[in-house]
Amino acid sequence: MEPHTQSRVLAVEPVLPAHRHEQAEIAAELAPLLTEPGTRRTLLHRLHDNAGVRTRHLALPLREYADLARRPDAFDAANAVFAQVGLDLAEQAVKGALASAGLAPEDVDVLLFTTVTGVAAPSLDALLVDRVGLRRDVVRWPGFGLGCVAGAAGISRLEDHLAGHPGQVGLLVSVELCSLTLQPTDTSVANLVASGLFGDGASAVVVAGPERAADRPGWAVLDHTSRLLPGSADALGWQVGARGLRIVLSAQLPEVLHRHVGADVAAFLAGRSVDRWVVHPGGPKVLDAVADALDLAPDALATSRQVLADVGNLSSSAVLHVLARTAARPGERVLLLGVGPGVSTETVLLERVGEPS
């Protein structure tokens, strides 16, 4: 289809908490919480050094994590912080995205909210209605479980809705406060890796149906597809227990992606060209595996690697932060690739329409 007949991403607003720390500072603070002196602590520092991350933003001041982790009600306390800080970040992201799109809160018809790092009922999107001034009849879709893939999948699901409601406006909100899932009693390699890889952040995306997009600049959503990769259900996700969310992160994840992504993307594109690549910055090995599977030039994923270095892996918000930093000329096409538990992928083909405002 032509770009003017498609739903369009009008704005992407990435936001970060105020507490910014160097990777080495975070490693020094977390090491005594996660390991005893010895080889495991040496391993932690090596994993942090090799995570491709230079700085991260955290929901709390760094020194408060020790007290939080040692509380007997750590899960309850962390979830309370998630609700408070997450709502503030969501409000900031939504207001910024709507302002960039030139729309008012009452213009929003459907609100899709995603997170995998906190649990709340009512979900944060319900609380956003009063915070931001959304309409009382806004259609809400709160979601949990898609994890890192949800940023890309959220755009796809809004496009699906807007295809049947071309005069409406959709809003995607992602909030991920990964630091609040810290597990001090877990000395597994997966937990040590996660403690050096994941950061905190949020984002909001405004998507307009074809009739509402009109002549506004943005990203036309040309096509999208979802995939569950075979034999990979235990490669990425959470185990939920008394102390909260315990990371599942297999060393085989890059190999799983390398085995499937190349053929899947080739089948999706069916010969269509791509000018720029927006790939979930899941870690250096994930990016290397995707780049190799797609036979990309060495600098093709430079923006994904830069986001990883600047803020870490922000789960569902990560690929949206990459998209926000991606510049393109009118007519250029971007392939957006999300990766999450399942293992699942979401592939979205976008085309730049009009000059950025």
Side-chain angles (χ1 to χ4, degrees):
M1 293 185 183
E2 294 299 319
H4 67 271
T5 67
Q6 298 293 93
S7 297
R8 193 171 302 177
V9 174
L10 300 184
V12 183
E13 183 74 10
V15 298
L16 297 161
H19 308 293
R20 178 179 178 272
H21 297 277
E22 298 290 329
Q23 179 80 327
E25 185 183 2
I26 295 174
E29 186 71 21
L30 296 187
L33 289 176
L34 297 174
T35 60
E36 299 293 335
T39 57
R40 216 61 173 172
R41 185 165 298 181
T42 301
L43 174 62
L44 179 144
H45 284 286
R46 187 170 79 246
L47 292 171
H48 279 232
D49 289 343
N50 294 333
V53 179
R54 290 199 301 267
T55 56
R56 281 182 283 166
H57 293 247
L58 305 178
L60 293 171
L62 181 56
R63 295 196 178 278
E64 293 188 16
Y65 284 90
D67 291 339
L68 178 64
R70 292 174 178 137
R71 289 180 56 160
D73 62 342
F75 191 17
D76 288 349
N79 224 41
V81 174
F82 172 84
Q84 177 184 346
V85 176
L87 185 58
D88 289 343
L89 290 174
E91 178 185 5
Q92 180 185 345
V94 167
K95 288 181 175 178
L98 289 173
S100 295
L103 295 172
E106 55 267 25
D107 291 319
V108 176
D109 299 287
V110 57
L111 170 59
L112 194 159
F113 173 73
T114 186
T115 187
V116 76
T117 54
V119 181
S123 48
L124 297 192
D125 52 293
L127 304 180
L128 271 176
V129 172
D130 284 336
R131 277 285 192 105
V132 177
L134 300 174
R135 299 199 317 262
R136 291 284 169 180
D137 65 346
V138 67
V139 176
R140 298 187 299 112
W141 293 350
F144 182 96
L146 281 176
C148 300
V149 80
I155 292 176
S156 297
R157 299 294 80 76
L158 283 180
E159 196 280 333
D160 287 338
H161 174 87
L162 294 169
H165 302 82
Q168 292 191 357
V169 172
L171 180 64
L172 167 64
V173 181
S174 161
V175 174
E176 301 290 11
L177 304 184
C178 305
S179 69
L180 298 177
T181 67
L182 181 68
Q183 293 289 326
T185 60
D186 180 3
T187 61
S188 67
V189 172
N191 193 49
L192 299 185
V193 169
S195 73
L197 181 61
F198 289 93
D200 295 348
S203 50
V205 182
V206 177
V207 186
E211 293 177 5
R212 286 300 299 269
D215 296 324
R216 296 172 184 266
W219 296 100
V221 185
L222 300 185
D223 200 1
H224 57 83
T225 190
S226 305
R227 293 282 290 175
L228 273 171
L229 306 186
S232 62
D234 58 351
L236 180 63
W238 293 121
Q239 291 179 345
V240 183
R243 294 193 60 85
L245 304 172
R246 182 170 178 262
I247 191 72
V248 174
L249 183 60
S250 170
Q252 301 306 310
L253 177 60
E255 174 57 30
V256 170
L257 293 171
H258 188 272
R259 190 182 314 130
H260 296 284
V261 163
D264 287 350
V265 169
F268 168 73
L269 289 174
R272 294 175 293 189
S273 63
V274 172
D275 300 291
R276 304 183 190 280
W277 301 83
V278 174
V279 174
H280 171 61
K285 292 183 179 179
V286 166
L287 290 173
D288 290 345
V290 171
D292 189 52
L294 299 176
D295 195 24
L296 299 181
D299 63 345
L301 301 186
T303 305
S304 292
R305 295 184 192 277
Q306 190 61 56
V307 167
L308 179 65
D310 291 345
V311 300
N313 179 347
L314 303 179
S315 190
S316 67
S317 276
V319 76
L320 302 177
H321 280 241
V322 179
L323 181 61
R325 295 194 191 189
T326 300
R329 296 184 295 273
E332 287 191 327
R333 291 182 174 182
V334 163
L335 187 132
L336 181 72
L337 178 65
V339 178
V343 169
S344 60
T345 62
E346 189 79 23
T347 310
V348 186
L349 185 62
L350 305 170
E351 182 174 320
R352 187 70 211 182
V353 180
E355 297 287 352
S357 57

